[in-house]
Amino acid sequence: MKKIGFILTFVIFLVLFVASVIIGAIGPSVIYYFPPQTIHHNNLEKNTTLPVNGLTKLNQQLILDVEPQYTGSTSAATVNVVFQLSVSARVSNTSAIVTLQDGILYPRSLECKKDHNCESVWLAHIPFIGYSQYFFTFRVVNGSSNPNIGDVIITISVANHRFTLFELWFRFFFLLTTFVVIVIFTYKLRAFKWRDWTIEQKWVAVLLFGLLGYNNPFFPLEILVSGWFPVFLDQVLFVSFLVLLLYFWLVMFDGLWKEPSQRTFFMFYLPKIAVLGCFWVAALTAFTWTELHQLGDAGVRVYEITGYIFFKIVCGIALVLYIFMLIYAICRACTSTKSMPYLGLRLQFFGLFTFFIILLTAGGILFGFIGPINNNAAEFLSFLSLFNIYLYTLAFVYLPSKSAYYGRRLEIGSIRLEEEDPDHNAFEDNQVINDDGDIELEQLQNREDEESDSSKEEDKKTDQVPLED
């Protein structure tokens, strides 16, 4: 593939990614909000029952937010409020009522400002919809006796069933597309032995199978089956793919500038495995902790539990260490490329393209944390499509060229990272590689013809030697 081919490939990637963002932006809203309900100050200490009707499994989860109004005389204050919440549900097609949570007290310290409401409190989160009708029985224990609290606004929200269908269809689309790409990629490389694959092709093959997990073929179980295991399985697949991708980036960029003798297991691979292994364990443990507590108590604040905080800190430290390692590897690779003219276009394309993906991912995460979160599917579809299209692009770039010659020890795509000699003879191991990394079969054939002619002449000379009596 020539330079113009790489440019067109990158342009096609951008077009597909921007199209996915636009489709997500005009897609259905992620959250559906029921009309807010106001409980007057005089009725705060009385039990108020709030019914939620017409729910299906497609609504996925149920959230209750409480926002008290501030009536204090000071400009700002910290108000201590004690909420009591009971949760019950009606069994479908019956009059039976199931009590899910009975009168649990939730003390909260709220930051309030004058002429503003107090901060919103996420009082209940039900991670799975198992009934069509829920009842929240709510009261403020110290409501009437608290002069800083006025009326309380309650907002109930669920996942939009249209967004759930949107998510199901696009996950299925990318899952099917990934399977097709795997079949095509392995079919094109079927004629070559595994040891003849380039390091990039081996990594792409592994990442494509990891991408199947990222697209999560078990996602419908989260909607149909109650309990923590389907959601936990989704997180295992997601975090595992993410760690595999981060490891791939770090190994590739770090391997660009290091000599083969430096790439030993203990010095090269083990530190990366240790950092990302800690991240994998900490992330999964923190998530499991969250799910188990929310299933037992809809109003629990997991981020206040000591064990959860510990694993979040470990996860953060591992992520910071990885970022420093990746930045260092990228900087060293950039400064070393000038002294490595034998690097092919495909490796150069990989470096620039992957660096662009890293910046795009970091920007999306940063915008999600500090920017406004829009209630549409753009964030979901952009991240889902980003990694899918990224790996599809790499699979296309690292397909063997049409002139690949079977039966010889060949470089089927880009130049191997293990190649360390800039003056490497292009005819060694019966291979000739042009600037694009393609095999010049014509030159190989000419060389074979010359060797064949030479062999025939030697045979003729041998036949002319007279035999001894």
Side-chain angles (χ1 to χ4, degrees), residues 16-17 19-25 27 163 166-167 169-171 173-174 214 376-389:
L16 293 176
F17 176 70
S20 67
V21 175
I22 295 175
I23 293 173
F163 170 74
F166 180 88
E167 184 178 6
W169 278 111
F170 271 98
R171 283 185 180 274
F173 168 76
F174 281 114
Y214 177 69
N376 56 51
E379 182 179 356
F380 156 75
L381 191 56
S382 61
F383 277 102
L384 182 67
S385 63
L386 177 64
F387 296 122
N388 277 276
I389 302 175

Side-chain angles (χ1 to χ4, degrees), residues 281-294:
V281 173
L284 284 182
T285 304
F287 169 78
T288 306
W289 203 301
T290 303
E291 285 297 312
L292 291 178
H293 280 80
Q294 285 181 345

Side-chain angles (χ1 to χ4, degrees), residues 344-379:
L345 281 177
R346 284 182 174 85
L347 277 181
Q348 297 176 21
F349 174 80
F350 163 79
L352 295 175
F353 184 44
T354 300
F355 184 67
F356 174 77
I357 297 297
I358 294 173
L359 291 179
L360 205 61
T361 305
I365 294 175
L366 186 64
F367 179 80
F369 276 110
I370 68 175
I373 299 177
N374 296 320
N375 187 22
N376 56 51
E379 182 179 356

Side-chain angles (χ1 to χ4, degrees), residues 229-301:
F229 181 75
V231 186
F232 173 74
L233 181 61
D234 175 63
Q235 293 300 313
V236 169
L237 295 174
F238 169 73
V239 176
S240 299
F241 169 76
L242 181 62
V243 168
L244 187 64
L245 185 64
L246 295 177
Y247 182 69
F248 165 65
W249 288 344
L250 191 55
V251 167
M252 291 297 293
F253 279 111
D254 204 22
L256 282 174
W257 64 275
K258 284 189 175 181
E259 299 292 335
S261 59
Q262 295 177 299
R263 294 197 289 271
T264 61
F265 176 77
F266 289 100
M267 298 301 295
F268 184 78
Y269 294 103
L270 187 59
K272 301 174 179 61
I273 294 174
V275 171
L276 290 174
C278 289
F279 174 79
W280 187 85
V281 173
L284 284 182
T285 304
F287 169 78
T288 306
W289 203 301
T290 303
E291 285 297 312
L292 291 178
H293 280 80
Q294 285 181 345
L295 287 173
D297 183 357
V300 67
R301 292 201 290 189

